[in-house]
């Protein structure tokens, strides 16, 4: 029977089937001789685990999970067919962590997925994601109640100006098939807190959006006060869109100090982690209808706005535009220059996402509309 069409469970099933069926865009590692400091290629790769859970919020006797020997697509379908998964009281969730705060880490305190650098002895990127998840949050993704769904596109992490490749990041998607929510056990030196966040808080109408401000001068000229002063005058500051998440941890490694007004600050999902989250959410978007209708609100670069079509008003944002992982600036003239010099991407965006179901993810055709995204170290929100 399956979950009702258009609901979060049905969209999540659609996304996971698509991710499993479609081959991700992979970025080859640089030769060992080109790696910084002579390190091997493995040291320039990292992986994260995007883990999903369905919290039933009720005490009942759910039917057992699908048996592991079956194909992944069959397991996914059978899992979402279970009555407790389709129950309105069941909430689809995604696991985020807040990095531990450390003075030597420029990305400390950022929201991220469990993950880290690939070690030479790791079998592959998925093994790295599983190992790091076990080390950081104590979840064993090799256990039978976890299902390895697939991989999203690789991403390049570069320096602030994009001149040098720092890391190739591979996101892997896992689904928890047990009705009992797993409780993380944190590595306190690495993780400040863990948060199971409902997927419905990442899309309209419940999503809350904010802004993260970055002092670009401190990133581009950290050792020169004169250069920092000049950059502030010429460029100003950068601002990134973010999704505001409730700060309700299920496990705590470090206590977050309250705001001056005594409230607990909300979590800010932005940068590379937001980009990977939107990669997933874009797979949950319903494809255009047979009439050829398409999203009316397209981002200029590099991704189409993910959409959630509502019965009354048609299309509305499922999440902020994928372009929100890129900054705006405090000076309008800088933003105008970026808009002008980005003219060549706008026709490409309209052509790529402007119409036809073939431009959307289709598990039967293996079509992936998501492009490889370069994330600079200034907005990656990820520590390795």
């Amino acid at each position: 029977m399956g979950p009702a069409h258009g609901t979060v469970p049905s969209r999540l099933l659609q996304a996971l089937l698509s991710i499993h069926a479609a081959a991700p865009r992979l970025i080859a590692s640089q030769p060992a001789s080109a790696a910084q400091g002579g390190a091997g290629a493995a040291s320039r790769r990292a992986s994260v685990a995007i883990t999903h859970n369905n919290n039933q919020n009720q005490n009942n006797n759910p039917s057992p999970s699908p048996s592991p020997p079956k194909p992944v697509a069959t397991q996914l379908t059978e899992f979402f067919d279970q009555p407790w998964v389709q129950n309105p009281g069941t909430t689809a969730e995604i696991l985020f962590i807040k990095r531990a705060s450390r003075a030597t880490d420029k990305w400390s305190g950022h929201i991220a997925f469990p993950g880290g650098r690939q070690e030479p002895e790791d079998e592959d990127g998925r093994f790295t994601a599983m190992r790091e998840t076990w080390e950081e949050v104590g979840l064993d993704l090799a256990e039978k109640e976890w299902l390895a769904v697939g991989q999203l596109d690789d991403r390049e992490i570069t320096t602030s100006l994009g001149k040098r490749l720092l890391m190739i990041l591979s996101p892997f998607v896992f689904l928890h098939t047990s009705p009992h929510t797993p409780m993380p056990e944190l590595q306190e030196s690495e993780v400040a807190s863990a948060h199971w966040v409902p997927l419905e808080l990442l899309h309209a109408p419940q999503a809350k959006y904010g802004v993260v401000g970055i002092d670009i001068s401190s990133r581009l000229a950290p050792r020169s006060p004169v250069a920092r002063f000049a950059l502030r005058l010429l460029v100003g500051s950068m601002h990134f869109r973010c999704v505001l998440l409730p700060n309700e941890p299920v496990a705590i490694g470090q206590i977050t100090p309250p705001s001056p007004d005594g409230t607990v600050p909300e979590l800010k999902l932005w940068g590379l982690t937001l980009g990977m989250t939107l990669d997933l959410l874009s797979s949950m978007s319903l494809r255009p209808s047979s009439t050829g209708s398409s999203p009316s609100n397209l981002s200029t670069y590099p991704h189409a706005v993910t959409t959630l079509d509502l019965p009354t008003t048609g299309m509305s944002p499922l999440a902020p535009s994928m372009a929100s992982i890129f900054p705006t600036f405090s000076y309008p003239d800088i933003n105008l220059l970026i808009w002008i010099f980005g003219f060549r991407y706008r026709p490409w965006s309209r052509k790529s996402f402007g119409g036809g179901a073939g431009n959307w993810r289709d598990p039967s055709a293996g079509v992936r509309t998501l492009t490889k995204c370069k994330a600079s170290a200034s907005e990656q929100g990820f520590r390795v």
Side-chain angles (χ1 to χ4, degrees), residues 29-44 164-165:
S29 300
Q30 290 186 354
S33 59
Q36 185 181 16
S43 65
R44 295 177 64 82
R164 181 167 57 88
L165 177 65

Side-chain angles (χ1 to χ4, degrees), residues 64-255:
S65 301
S67 56
K70 297 180 180 179
V72 172
T74 302
Q75 293 186 62
L76 287 171
T77 302
E78 291 185 357
F79 172 75
F80 281 92
D81 278 345
Q82 295 181 94
W84 73 268
V85 178
Q86 300 183 35
N87 191 300
T90 299
T91 302
E93 300 173 322
I94 186 170
L95 181 66
F96 293 102
I97 62 173
K98 182 179 180 182
R99 291 289 177 188
S101 297
R102 294 186 295 187
T104 57
D105 184 2
K106 68 173 65 176
W107 304 297
S108 67
H110 286 199
I111 303 304
F113 294 115
R117 187 186 299 270
Q118 183 173 337
E119 300 294 341
E121 59 270 18
D122 290 347
E123 298 175 5
D124 51 26
R126 190 175 76 172
F127 183 91
T128 301
M130 297 171 67
R131 175 181 56 78
E132 288 285 341
T133 301
W134 168 251
E135 293 175 357
E136 292 186 343
V137 296
L139 299 182
D140 189 354
L141 302 181
E143 292 290 339
K144 63 180 181 180
E145 61 265 21
W146 288 99
L147 181 61
V149 176
Q151 179 182 351
L152 299 177
D153 293 344
D154 282 354
R155 288 173 171 265
E156 293 181 349
I157 303 175
T158 65
T159 54
S160 296
L161 293 179
K163 292 182 177 180
R164 181 167 57 88
L165 177 65
L166 297 178
M167 194 79 60
I168 298 171
L169 180 62
S170 303
F172 293 86
V173 180
F174 297 84
L175 175 68
H176 188 246
T177 60
S178 168
H180 307 292
T181 301
M183 287 296 105
E185 297 180 5
L186 307 185
Q187 183 181 16
E188 297 182 4
S189 61
E190 298 286 344
V191 182
S193 56
H195 307 258
W196 281 112
V197 176
L199 279 176
E200 61 189 14
L201 297 184
L202 298 173
H203 63 73
Q206 296 193 39
K208 296 172 58 179
Y209 308 134
V211 175
V212 175
I214 298 294
D215 181 8
I216 188 174
S217 64
S218 63
R219 299 296 180 95
L220 299 182
R223 300 179 181 179
S224 174
V226 175
R228 287 199 302 271
F229 178 76
L231 283 170
R232 290 192 185 102
L233 289 178
L234 294 174
V235 181
S237 58
M238 294 189 300
H239 301 280
F240 294 91
R241 287 292 305 276
C242 70
V243 177
L244 300 176
L245 303 177
N247 195 344
E248 300 173 353
V250 295
I252 298 177
Q254 293 181 357
I255 298 177

